[in-house]
Amino acid sequence: MTCREHGFDCDFDIVSEDEAELIEFVQTHAKSNHGISPSEEDVRKMIHAA
Ligand SMILES: [Zn+2]
């Protein structure tokens, strides 16, 4: 998934076979780059909405 797909002006692209790892990457990235702290559930919805 990419940030851009979710409305962020950001080219961050995350690819992982492991959903737990993917969620962790997204949470870390979102916090340090976008100043938001999505819950695991929020991230999961983002992944599956893509
Ligand atoms: Zn981003």
Side-chain angles (χ1 to χ4, degrees):
M1 62 165 277
T2 62
C3 279
R4 199 168 289 281
E5 285 170 0
H6 297 285
F8 292 108
D9 184 19
C10 170
D11 288 318
F12 189 60
D13 188 7
I14 314 148
V15 180
S16 176
E17 296 294 308
D18 182 346
E19 189 175 272
E21 189 178 82
L22 191 66
I23 289 168
E24 203 177 304
F25 279 149
V26 173
Q27 286 180 316
T28 303
H29 171 82
K31 192 165 189 178
S32 55
N33 293 271
H34 302 294
I36 57 170
S37 302
S39 68
E40 199 177 307
E41 186 62 31
D42 288 339
V43 177
R44 198 170 282 134
K45 280 181 200 158
M46 285 166 70
I47 294 167
H48 293 296

